[in-house]
Amino acid sequence: MSVASSKTTSVPSTPPRRPFFDWRVWTVAAVLLVAVGLSVLFGVKQNAQQGFFGMRLFPLKTAYDFKLTGPNGAEVRLDQFQGKTVLFLFGFTHCANICPTSLTNLTEVYRALTPEERKQVQVVFISVDPDRDKPQTLEQYVTSFDPSFIGLTAPKPTIDQTVLAYGASYEMVAGPTNEPNDYSVNHSAYTYLVNPSGKLELLYGNEKLADVQRVVSDIQAVLREPRS
Amino acid sequence: MGQTQNVLSESELRALCVFVVKCSRLAAIGYWLFSLALVLLSVHLALADDQVAVTVQRPWIRAVPDVMDSTAVYMVLVNTSSIPAELVGGSTTIADSVAPMITTKEGEGLKQVVGMKSVDALKIPAHGTLVLEPNGNHLMVMGLKEHPKEGAQVDFTIKLEPGDHEIHLKIPVQKKPVP
């Protein structure tokens, strides 16, 4: 025992001292410092634009002035709603899950606003299925959610132009039967918020829209924004 | 080693060895008995659970505008059995057909399109749940013959496999899930 222990103590165990100006240590420290600095900077920048629940677009750009067919076949343009906050989304009335869910959420959002705020907000549903969604059907559909809602559509080329302008997308998918009217439409499910100055400001995915209270707060914040 | 000799005599040590060997044999027998018991138990459970045991929670059917020819049914299905089950469809007096659907997402960002796809079955794992909810999996109700309003009740039957099992429900008509 005593022999073994004397052997271990005889081994020199102190490693050579690292010099204070070891370049490896300083490189790591510098990288860390830069990383922390950047994250603080970006965090601050993000906070400055925060307060919004929806995905905020930056820089704000003028929303594409769509020209679509409204109730009774009259032309309805986005610019007509200047001064109001417009919330619009693409869909189709044969949609059983996503569209009614979004419209129900938007109904809740709309009804949570004060009467004064409601006068400054317009919800618009744009059908990408003009073959089946005639203006009259569309009107009955949207107004059953809220009488103030507007349903718009247009011939396919105009719809395509509008969808493209908003970076959205849709495609028809054949249903289980081979009947020509049996198809579903896969479509972008974002709700677009256009502010009273006509700028596209916020986006909500269909799942986000379910958080009614936070969408309401966003709209109220947009309505309070100073306007040029 | 010197210390052990002080505590145990040679004969005691031998007795101890014999004891240890006996114990290990007993342990081996115990191990096999235990395994057998496990096998018997699982066979018993499998035989006892050849019936689908699924319960339904918070079912509702969406109230939709009169111009719509379809709607959706949502609920939570809880499988209390140890065999996987499947929701394969349903039926109702107010519509022509009912089909299980999944929600599909294709693409990224703004270009992402959301849609739905008919599937033969939605799985309910053993001792697991299947959630049917707005924006997600659902039972699509097609060819509406009536448009019941919020607050009404609808007779609705869901079909489960295995065993061609049916559950009859009275489902409330709602515009949104109960919070």
Side-chain angles (χ1 to χ4, degrees), chain A residues 97 101 108 140 144 187 207, chain B residues 62 65 67 74 105 114 176:
Chain A
N97 185 31
T101 303
E108 298 239 309
Q140 284 173 353
S144 73
H187 57 90
E207 281 155 11
Chain B
R62 184 185 289 285
V67 290
Y74 307 101
K105 286 178 182 174
V114 183
K176 52 175 183 144

Side-chain angles (χ1 to χ4, degrees), chain B residues 78-116:
Chain B
V78 181
N79 185 354
T80 53
S81 73
S82 56
I83 46 167
E86 286 182 335
L87 174 64
V88 294
S91 60
T92 174
T93 48
I94 64 157
D96 294 333
S97 61
V98 173
M101 295 271 174
I102 56 166
T103 294
T104 60
K105 286 178 182 174
E106 279 169 47
E108 290 296 317
L110 275 184
K111 285 276 177 211
Q112 183 179 73
V113 291
V114 183
M116 60 174 190

Side-chain angles (χ1 to χ4, degrees), chain A residues 77-167:
Chain A
R77 293 169 42 222
L78 176 65
D79 281 5
Q80 275 173 239
F81 303 110
Q82 278 255 350
K84 280 189 174 188
T85 293
V86 178
L87 290 148
F88 75 88
L89 70 163
F90 297 107
F92 65 114
T93 69
H94 286 66
C95 172
N97 185 31
I98 307 289
C99 311
T101 303
S102 293
L103 281 168
T104 302
N105 288 331
L106 284 170
T107 307
E108 298 239 309
V109 166
Y110 187 74
R111 291 187 182 165
L113 297 168
T114 66
E116 203 50 47
E117 287 164 344
R118 263 177 249 160
K119 284 182 200 159
Q120 303 170 62
V121 173
Q122 180 63 57
V123 175
V124 176
F125 179 81
I126 301 175
S127 171
V128 294
D129 187 13
D131 286 347
R132 291 187 295 188
D133 292 340
K134 299 301 167 200
Q136 205 192 342
T137 324
L138 207 47
E139 195 192 359
Q140 284 173 353
Y141 175 76
V142 293
T143 53
S144 73
F145 288 94
D146 190 276
S148 76
F149 289 6
I150 295 177
L152 302 177
T153 190
K156 196 178 181 313
T158 313
I159 286 294
D160 287 352
Q161 202 180 347
T162 309
V163 164
L164 188 70
Y166 282 100

Side-chain angles (χ1 to χ4, degrees), chain A residues 18-36:
Chain A
R18 200 167 264 181
F20 183 65
F21 287 103
D22 186 329
W23 63 272
R24 283 169 297 189
V25 174
W26 285 100
T27 313
V28 170
V31 167
L32 277 176
L33 194 72
V34 168
V36 168

Side-chain angles (χ1 to χ4, degrees), chain B residues 18-72:
Chain B
V18 169
F19 178 70
V20 166
V21 168
K22 276 187 178 167
C23 275
S24 61
R25 278 185 192 152
L26 272 176
I29 292 167
Y31 170 78
W32 286 110
L33 279 176
F34 182 68
S35 310
L36 186 65
L38 270 187
V39 169
L40 285 175
L41 184 71
S42 55
V43 167
H44 169 77
L45 282 179
L47 287 176
D49 276 1
D50 64 350
Q51 281 286 338
V52 184
V54 170
T55 54
V56 173
Q57 295 173 352
R58 303 192 303 279
W60 62 285
I61 180 166
R62 184 185 289 285
V64 290
D66 291 345
V67 290
M68 277 183 74
D69 61 1
S70 60
T71 183

Side-chain angles (χ1 to χ4, degrees), chain B residues 99-153:
Chain B
M101 295 271 174
I102 56 166
T103 294
T104 60
K105 286 178 182 174
E106 279 169 47
E108 290 296 317
L110 275 184
K111 285 276 177 211
Q112 183 179 73
V113 291
V114 183
M116 60 174 190
K117 198 177 152 201
S118 174
V119 289
D120 293 335
L122 290 166
K123 290 185 174 14
I124 321 167
H127 300 295
T129 56
L130 168 68
V131 179
L132 308 183
E133 61 184 349
N135 290 328
N137 298 330
H138 58 282
L139 282 169
M140 185 167 172
V141 181
M142 293 165 287
L144 280 178
K145 292 180 275 195
E146 289 170 44
H147 292 80
K149 297 289 165 244
E150 207 175 1
Q153 299 262 331

